[in-house]
Amino acid sequence: MAAYLAEHVQHLQSLHTLLGLPPDALKSDEAHIESAIREAVSTLISNREEEVESWKAKIEQAGVDLQGVQVAIGERAVKHHAVDSGVALPTQWDEMIRRRGQFEQSYQERMRRIDGLRSQIDALASLLGPPVEPALPPQPIASSSKGGPSPTWLAVGDDVLRSYEALLQRAIEERESRTQQLYDHFRDLLFFHVELALPSLPSSSSSSNDFPPSLMSKSGSNVETYRDTLSEYIRINAPAMNAGNEDEDEDWTKGLEGIEPDRSLIQWLEEMVAMWTAERDARISRIQELYDRLEPMWSRLEIDQETQDLFIEMNRGCGMTVISAYEDELERCMDLRRSSLSAFMVAARQELEELWNALLYSEEERREFGPFIDDDYTEELLLLHEEETERLKMEMESKVTLLPKVKEWHGLKLEEEELEVLANDPQRFSRRGGAMLREEKLRKRVGNLLPKVENDLLVLLPQWESEHQRPFTVNGISIVEQIYEAREAKEAAKEAKKRAKQGLAPTAALAPARSVKATPAVKIARGMPGSVMASAVSRKREAPTPTPFGRMGTVMKKQKTGLNMTSMKPAASAGGTRIPSGKSRMADPTSSPTPLPRADPGYESSRIPSFSLKAPAGRRQSFKPRQSQSRGLFQKLRQSMELAEEVDEVEIF
């Protein structure tokens, strides 16, 4: 540049000489040249500086964008700045754009993954409804841009992906649960359809149907579709249900392929299950009511258990034909009852005597039931006996755990008296054969058990008395009163013995005052004679008939001349079919259950029922009436008392 200027300044001097310019003109031109050069250089440098700053700004913005996409995908954010590292700014910018492209590619892949997850979640939410909710979109991250256009990055990191995956997994689990619920509802309806012996469901392809309208839910917008699906499902699976395969590895989803657990469908199924369950419960209640009336009649007619079981097995389920069979059988037994009233009266009174004996009733308490001595047999008189029997059964049920303990207390009191006799025997020390050892064991047993049993009774019996508002009596005597009186007598005897040792005369004034914590019923009954006490706390009854009690023997004698109740053996039916002596078979559920036949005028020859022996198919928990609890009360009470006696003997000997 200096040589260039020197050459041109020399040429400029020659031009000045030719022009005849003064010497200071050259200096002025040289000053112009210098000023122009300075201005050109300054302009050029300024332009280059602006270009550098522009590259730096671009690199800075690219760094912000790169940082944003890193944060969005969950990477650790690193700030990027243009530095004088010997690398050209365009090269730095190109490298940053390349890295940003890599992160943006990962970002887009994550967004596509999230969009797919949200799509699945939203579809399940629309299908299932609450608690499955549509997924919220990803949230934007906080921007660190200080100006200029910058893309909005959404958070798509691993934690966000995991949250969407968890939402989808919960939705899938809910769908699986709803699907199982759907299958269970269809299976329940299949069972109810068979159990209730319902006709085929109406469908869009059939115009006539006998299905009860009260058992068809009409709620929902797709009722016809739901109804057709259920009808087809029952048609496909009913044969397996009738064949009794429900507890086996049977596929109960046949006919439900492609059926989604839509919330409206499940709601419709739930309403159907509720309606059919209510219908089944109502029919069960009716059948149980009929059976509860039939059971005592069968017992008094001496229908053998095998025949009863056969009738019950043949009439399992809750179909209307089953109810009709029970109604017909009840009417048949009512006819037999009316035709053999005396035999029923004898059986009823025998049952009453068994209950009185089990409850340890006194003669006075038994005489309170006046109809027992009435020999004018009528339906009303038999009904009074049956009502009294039911009352006593309820009482026995309330006492079944108390009576054995009362018996144990009485036994311990007898052993205590035996010990007192042995203690006063002057020959006690000369007895042989382990008598002293037995006496010692007996004394230890009574000393340990008697206070415990008494304390238990003084807790349990007042509770029973408070609940029933009358004393707990055995043979007409209050057990609570007996226990307190026995304790008072024992204390009085101890005091008398103590005074005798001190040389003092016995006195009644020193007897301990009674502190009886009795129930209101016991307090009312205290001080009354036995008969007054019993009548005061017993329930109100009709007055006894004036028939003398001694006539009962005549009444019982009359009954013996009546029907031969022990002659009931399985006999051939009119069609020649005999009742098997082995295991009874079940009737075909598609056939009408056969009831026991009605009584014919010739009772002795027609009293045995004739059954159709076509076996019904097994079903899941197909209903049959439960036996009354009172049937086992005698046995339970007897076993409890026998067990107490066995324990007593083992402990003593």
Side-chain angles (χ1 to χ4, degrees):
M1 178 62 71
Y4 176 80
L5 289 176
E7 180 183 356
H8 285 78
V9 167
Q10 185 177 3
H11 178 64
L12 181 62
Q13 286 177 349
S14 63
L15 293 174
H16 275 246
T17 301
L18 292 174
L19 293 172
L21 295 176
D24 57 347
L26 180 61
K27 292 181 179 180
S28 176
D29 287 345
E30 289 178 348
H32 281 295
I33 292 172
E34 183 179 358
S35 176
I37 291 173
R38 288 179 180 276
E39 183 177 356
V41 170
S42 176
T43 301
L44 182 60
I45 291 176
S46 178
N47 291 338
R48 294 304 181 187
E49 286 178 345
E50 289 179 359
E51 188 175 355
V52 167
E53 291 300 323
S54 174
W55 277 107
K56 286 184 176 181
K58 290 172 65 177
I59 292 174
E60 182 72 21
Q61 185 61 45
V64 171
D65 293 343
L66 179 59
Q67 181 181 0
V69 72
Q70 282 182 301
V71 172
I73 64 176
E75 295 286 340
R76 182 180 178 182
V78 179
K79 292 185 178 181
H80 300 274
H81 299 284
V83 293
D84 187 12
S85 59
V87 180
L89 293 178
T91 303
Q92 294 185 40
W93 185 80
D94 290 340
E95 176 63 18
M96 201 165 292
I97 292 300
R98 184 187 65 78
R99 294 180 62 192
R100 172 181 164 181
Q102 292 177 343
F103 284 117
E104 284 185 347
Q105 183 178 0
S106 176
Y107 176 85
Q108 295 300 330
E109 291 175 354
R110 289 170 178 262
M111 281 298 300
R112 285 192 293 270
R113 173 63 179 156
I114 289 175
D115 289 342
L117 293 172
R118 287 184 60 199
S119 177
Q120 295 179 68
I121 295 171
D122 292 348
L124 290 174
S126 176
L127 174 69
L128 303 174
V132 180
E133 299 289 347
L136 296 175
Q139 299 301 307
I141 64 171
S143 176
S144 60
S145 176
K146 298 181 180 179
S150 181
T152 301
W153 303 106
L154 303 177
V156 293
D158 291 339
D159 56 338
V160 176
L161 275 172
R162 284 193 294 268
S163 67
Y164 281 111
E165 289 170 350
L167 285 175
L168 178 60
Q169 182 60 33
R170 287 197 292 271
I172 291 174
E173 290 174 357
E174 181 68 20
R175 179 181 178 275
E176 292 175 352
S177 175
R178 298 281 186 91
T179 301
Q180 186 59 51
Q181 186 180 9
L182 178 81
Y183 293 159
D184 291 343
H185 287 334
F186 272 101
R187 186 173 177 180
D188 289 341
L189 290 173
L190 172 64
F191 169 70
F192 287 141
H193 189 273
V194 174
E195 183 78 350
L196 297 169
L198 296 173
S200 299
L201 272 73
S203 63
S204 55
S205 60
S206 62
S207 57
S208 60
N209 196 277
D210 298 330
F211 193 86
S214 59
L215 297 181
M216 180 60 65
S217 173
K218 297 179 176 59
S219 63
S221 57
N222 298 317
V223 173
E224 292 186 359
T225 303
Y226 300 157
R227 185 187 60 197
D228 291 346
T229 302
L230 177 59
S231 178
E232 181 66 12
Y233 175 79
I234 292 175
R235 185 191 67 79
I236 294 173
N237 295 279
M241 180 68 72
N242 281 322
N245 297 332
E246 188 176 13
D247 294 332
E248 301 176 2
D249 297 331
E250 184 72 23
D251 181 13
W252 297 103
T253 63
K254 297 174 183 176
L256 299 180
E257 296 82 359
I259 303 297
E260 290 290 343
D262 183 84
R263 52 183 169 178
S264 60
L265 172 57
I266 291 182
Q267 182 179 1
W268 183 83
L269 290 172
E270 288 175 346
E271 292 179 4
M272 290 288 289
V273 169
M275 295 168 70
W276 290 16
T277 301
E279 179 68 16
R280 180 173 184 262
D281 291 344
R283 294 189 186 184
I284 284 176
S285 178
R286 174 59 178 161
I287 294 172
Q288 187 65 50
E289 175 190 356
L290 293 169
Y291 176 80
D292 290 342
R293 296 173 63 187
L294 270 174
E295 186 184 32
M297 291 191 185
W298 281 342
S299 177
R300 287 175 182 149
L301 285 170
E302 295 186 355
I303 303 293
D304 60 90
Q305 190 61 45
E306 183 180 354
T307 305
Q308 296 181 35
D309 293 342
L310 182 58
F311 175 84
I312 293 171
E313 287 297 326
M314 291 183 62
N315 293 286
R316 294 192 66 155
C318 307
M320 295 305 297
T321 53
V322 174
I323 296 177
S324 298
Y326 274 93
E327 290 174 343
D328 291 344
E329 173 59 11
L330 179 61
E331 182 62 29
R332 186 190 75 88
C333 290
M334 291 295 293
D335 290 342
L336 292 177
R337 167 177 157 144
R338 285 187 286 269
S339 65
S340 55
L341 191 59
S342 60
F344 270 82
M345 284 297 305
V346 170
R349 286 177 173 174
Q350 288 176 347
E351 189 173 3
L352 274 178
E353 288 183 329
E354 290 179 359
L355 287 165
W356 284 337
N357 293 334
L359 291 168
L360 305 177
Y361 265 33
S362 66
E363 289 297 327
E364 187 172 328
E365 289 175 309
R366 301 180 189 209
R367 284 195 294 270
E368 289 179 11
F369 182 63
F372 192 85
I373 58 175
D374 190 348
D375 60 354
D376 184 14
Y377 296 161
T378 61
E379 281 286 337
E380 290 76 14
L381 183 64
L382 180 58
L383 181 61
L384 290 175
H385 281 69
E386 291 174 344
E387 290 176 351
E388 180 67 7
T389 299
E390 290 302 317
R391 186 189 71 82
L392 292 177
K393 286 179 179 179
M394 293 177 61
E395 181 176 341
M396 187 170 68
E397 188 174 357
S398 69
K399 291 182 175 180
V400 71
T401 58
L402 298 176
L403 287 172
K405 192 170 285 290
V406 170
K407 182 179 179 181
E408 183 182 6
W409 177 76
H410 274 292
L412 290 169
K413 292 298 294 181
L414 291 176
E415 293 171 2
E416 186 180 43
E417 293 175 3
E418 181 183 353
L419 284 173
E420 187 175 351
V421 172
L422 292 174
N424 295 327
D425 184 3
Q427 305 295 328
R428 60 186 301 225
F429 296 108
S430 61
R431 292 195 300 269
R432 298 180 180 180
M436 292 298 295
L437 179 59
R438 179 185 179 281
E439 179 182 343
E440 182 59 28
K441 288 184 177 181
L442 189 62
R443 190 180 309 280
K444 185 180 296 185
R445 164 187 159 77
V446 172
N448 291 336
L449 288 183
L450 184 59
K452 180 179 182 301
V453 173
E454 286 184 345
N455 290 335
D456 290 345
L457 289 175
L458 290 177
V459 171
L460 298 174
L461 295 184
Q463 293 176 355
W464 187 94
E465 292 175 344
S466 176
E467 181 181 351
H468 295 83
Q469 290 297 302
R470 58 191 176 91
F472 187 101
T473 61
V474 171
N475 293 319
I477 302 174
S478 169
I479 299 300
V480 173
E481 292 282 318
Q482 274 191 300
I483 293 175
Y484 280 116
E485 289 173 1
R487 286 187 171 184
E488 290 175 2
K490 188 183 295 185
E491 291 296 327
K494 287 182 180 179
E495 183 64 25
K497 188 175 182 179
K498 179 180 178 182
R499 291 179 63 82
K501 287 182 179 180
Q502 296 174 353
L504 301 175
T507 174
L510 295 177
R514 296 181 62 183
S515 176
V516 182
K517 297 181 180 180
T519 61
V522 174
K523 293 179 181 179
I524 294 172
R526 278 185 184 159
M528 299 183 182
S531 60
V532 179
M533 179 189 300
S535 61
V537 297
S538 61
R539 69 182 181 89
K540 185 177 179 181
R541 296 185 175 92
E542 297 293 334
T545 61
T547 308
F549 189 76
R551 292 182 59 188
M552 190 59 211
T554 306
V555 174
M556 298 300 292
K557 186 176 181 180
K558 289 181 180 179
Q559 305 308 318
K560 293 180 180 180
T561 63
L563 299 174
N564 181 8
M565 301 300 289
T566 62
S567 63
M568 303 204 41
K569 305 293 182 183
S573 67
T577 304
R578 294 185 60 85
I579 299 174
S581 58
K583 185 178 179 181
S584 62
R585 293 181 296 166
M586 299 173 65
D588 187 346
T590 60
S591 63
S592 299
T594 306
L596 294 168
R598 294 176 178 270
D600 294 333
Y603 169 67
E604 287 294 337
S605 62
S606 64
R607 60 195 294 185
I608 304 300
S610 173
F611 297 107
S612 168
L613 299 180
K614 192 174 182 181
R619 300 170 186 162
R620 170 186 64 166
Q621 300 295 324
S622 186
F623 171 74
K624 64 178 180 179
R626 63 186 181 278
Q627 293 183 341
S628 61
Q629 296 181 354
S630 61
R631 296 186 68 175
L633 286 179
F634 286 114
Q635 183 178 2
K636 183 178 179 181
L637 182 60
R638 190 179 299 112
Q639 290 175 347
S640 299
M641 291 188 171
E642 290 175 356
L643 181 61
E645 290 178 353
E646 292 175 3
V647 172
D648 291 349
E649 294 177 359
V650 171
E651 290 182 349
I652 295 174
F653 297 101

